[in-house]
Amino acid sequence: AAATITPIAAPAAALNILPPAAPVQLDLTISDLSPLHGQAPALAAHLKITNPDNLLFASEDFTATPAPDHPWLHHYTHAPLPPGLYTATLDITEAPRGQSTPALIARRQTRFLALPPDASPTPPNPDFALSAVHFPADAWASLPALLKTTGAGTLQFPAWRDDLPEDGLRR
């Protein structure tokens, strides 16, 4: 099975950055769920959200119903989290027939940043960096505010991207 976790919300979600006091919204997708040998697999999806110290902030279990013609989709919402960096981990397991231990089929992770409520500048920390390599060009204007708010001491920025129109490169 192929699995993905996609943060969704206001425009900053494309950058995996949640605005202050915004709820966590994730789209969970599991595709390629075709039945094996005529029987649909019994799949379970386990989502957990942790901080860098591995402190658990959320844990949810879902049953993924196989369908060969469309992926399993689930929209997950959680109350706003305290400011900080988080990792959402989605584990897909199949209960093996005749065994009690589930078999891990796929594990996907995504990281996201929850911003603090006040946008007061944070001193730059050289150990914390933001990568803007894949940011959409229309999000580049928000980079100075993000750097001030997050305290990132380093910014990875593309000098050239093939997918940008000429007008985007000039900006």
Side-chain angles (χ1 to χ4, degrees):
T4 60
I5 308 173
T6 308
I8 59 168
L15 314 175
N16 287 8
I17 299 173
L18 301 179
V24 176
Q25 297 183 60
L26 303 171
D27 275 340
L28 311 176
T29 307
I30 304 173
S31 56
D32 301 330
L33 293 175
S34 54
L36 302 172
H37 309 294
Q39 291 185 314
L43 295 180
H46 177 72
L47 175 70
K48 69 178 181 176
I49 298 175
T50 57
N51 70 1
D53 295 326
N54 213 25
L55 182 62
L56 185 65
F57 281 81
S59 179
E60 295 280 339
D61 290 313
F62 310 98
T63 300
T65 306
D69 56 341
H70 63 278
W72 174 83
L73 302 169
H74 182 77
H75 177 76
Y76 174 78
T77 302
H78 188 279
L81 295 173
L85 180 65
Y86 296 92
T87 301
T89 303
L90 180 65
D91 286 339
I92 310 302
T93 59
E94 178 181 12
R97 300 183 195 329
Q99 297 179 10
S100 60
T101 306
L104 182 65
I105 295 174
R107 172 174 285 158
R108 298 295 180 264
Q109 293 183 318
T110 190
R111 291 193 176 162
F112 60 92
L113 183 66
L115 293 178
D118 73 4
S120 58
T122 303
N125 179 346
D127 295 330
F128 178 57
L130 286 178
S131 175
V133 171
H134 299 291
F135 283 16
D138 59 345
W140 290 354
S142 64
L143 286 173
L146 285 173
L147 291 172
K148 286 180 187 175
T149 304
T150 61
T154 305
L155 174 66
Q156 184 181 15
F157 195 79
W160 175 266
R161 283 185 15 194
D162 290 339
D163 64 334
L164 288 177
E166 189 174 329
D167 181 50
L169 291 171
R170 274 188 275 232
R171 285 190 285 157

